[in-house]
Amino acid sequence: MKENKLFRKNLPPRTPEQDDLKKRIEQGMRDVSAQEYDTFVLERGRDRFAIAVKSLVTSVLNPRKHYEALEIGAGTGISTRRLNEIEYIHVTALDIREDYLEFGIRNGRIRSEQAVVGSFSELPFPDESFDVYVGVAILNQRADVDRFYEEISRVLKDGGLVFIPWTKVKDGSIEREMENIKKFPFEITSRGDWYLIGKRKPRMSSRS
Ligand SMILES: C[S@@+](CC[C@H](N)C(=O)[O-])C[C@H]1O[C@@H](n2cnc3c(N)ncnc32)[C@H](O)[C@@H]1O
């Protein structure tokens, strides 16, 4: 069985309205309200996916350490809520849409201190701020993939981990992402049919 049957099982076919909404989400979701987005993706199994992402993260991290994690494209906090269940990480939840983050706060999934409004093409954090990066269902939201990875590699510490899950297994996204990330200082440490895990390579020392 494909791994993602675990979180996408028994879904009814999409209605024409849901097909239209899916298209609007894939086209940048500017005219999609937080409520509309949240209802749709929860009906389509996003919380099961978020739980699978949490398991993926905990399968790699060391529970005796503390991790500063950056979640990019946190949206309405479906995955933030699950990541918050891991007691040894502190999550910063970034999204360009303040209304989505506010929806997540109102629904008790994101704490106000975690929410940061900002763009992944210009992350509002100093270099080497985070131990972990996670971004759930955001691969098709990026206009400039190179800029995205420049920013992730900048804000991650040496040895920082990147978790790149994707909600589909057969659309070639994971293969494309392998090619995308290759140009940047990351080593792929694990690959499944719905995810990649990588590690930021050490920066070159300036004292030599
Ligand atoms: C498909 S949603 C995924 C949301 C959440 N991770 C989930 O699984 O429900 C993509 C998210 O990326 C956000 N996004 C799109 N462009 C962005 C950008 N330039 N910077 C930060 N977030 C962005 C959207 O606002 C949206 O919340």
Side-chain angles (χ1 to χ4, degrees):
M1 184 170 73
K2 289 285 187 196
E3 286 172 80
N4 86 336
K5 286 271 163 57
L6 293 171
F7 43 80
R8 291 169 74 83
K9 64 182 173 196
N10 303 330
L11 293 183
R14 280 191 300 273
T15 63
E17 292 74 26
Q18 289 177 326
D19 273 337
D20 176 62
L21 180 54
K22 178 170 178 283
K23 219 173 278 163
R24 285 158 52 215
I25 291 170
E26 287 169 357
Q27 288 165 352
M29 53 202 296
R30 269 176 290 280
D31 62 345
V32 179
S33 74
Q35 179 71 68
E36 203 178 7
Y37 170 79
D38 197 71
T39 304
F40 172 64
V41 296
L42 284 177
E43 277 173 10
R44 307 299 300 174
R46 182 58 53 85
D47 191 44
R48 278 199 294 280
F49 186 68
I51 291 170
V53 171
K54 173 189 161 188
S55 299
L56 184 69
V57 170
T58 54
S59 72
V60 174
L61 299 188
N62 178 349
R64 286 185 295 279
K65 290 189 176 168
H66 171 83
Y67 297 87
E68 281 301 321
L70 173 61
E71 185 190 4
I72 283 186
T76 57
I78 298 168
S79 35
T80 319
R81 169 186 170 213
R82 295 302 178 185
L83 293 171
N84 278 343
E85 292 170 351
I86 309 172
E87 63 274 15
Y88 50 88
I89 73 177
H90 171 262
V91 180
T92 297
L94 176 124
D95 204 281
I96 203 162
R97 291 279 296 263
E98 190 168 9
D99 56 330
Y100 277 41
L101 291 172
E102 274 169 1
F103 183 98
I105 293 169
R106 275 199 311 280
N107 283 277
R109 301 178 191 149
I110 303 175
R111 301 184 300 274
S112 315
E113 59 84 13
Q114 298 184 280
V116 176
V117 180
S119 173
F120 45 56
S121 54
E122 201 165 333
L123 292 173
F125 309 108
D127 299 355
E128 304 185 49
S129 298
F130 296 99
D131 306 292
V132 170
Y133 154 77
V134 188
V136 176
I138 59 140
L139 299 185
N140 62 1
Q141 301 287 324
R142 302 164 304 171
D144 184 341
V145 174
D146 285 359
R147 180 76 193 141
F148 176 83
Y149 276 119
E150 274 163 23
E151 281 295 86
I152 303 283
S153 57
R154 181 181 69 73
V155 301
L156 270 185
K157 298 176 189 168
D158 290 356
L161 295 167
V162 289
F163 291 88
I164 305 171
W166 186 235
T167 50
K168 301 182 195 114
V169 293
K170 288 187 195 130
D171 69 346
S173 292
I174 291 297
E175 285 71 24
R176 272 195 297 283
E177 214 47 32
M178 292 274 284
E179 291 307 308
N180 289 335
I181 199 170
K182 251 189 203 164
K183 296 181 248 165
F184 297 90
F186 294 102
E187 172 199 345
I188 299 296
T189 55
S190 173
R191 187 207 153 150
D193 59 2
W194 61 276
Y195 65 84
L196 290 179
I197 303 174
K199 196 185 250 190
R200 200 216 186 277
K201 292 180 183 165
R203 289 160 175 82
M204 303 291 264
S205 167
S206 55
R207 290 168 297 175
S208 60

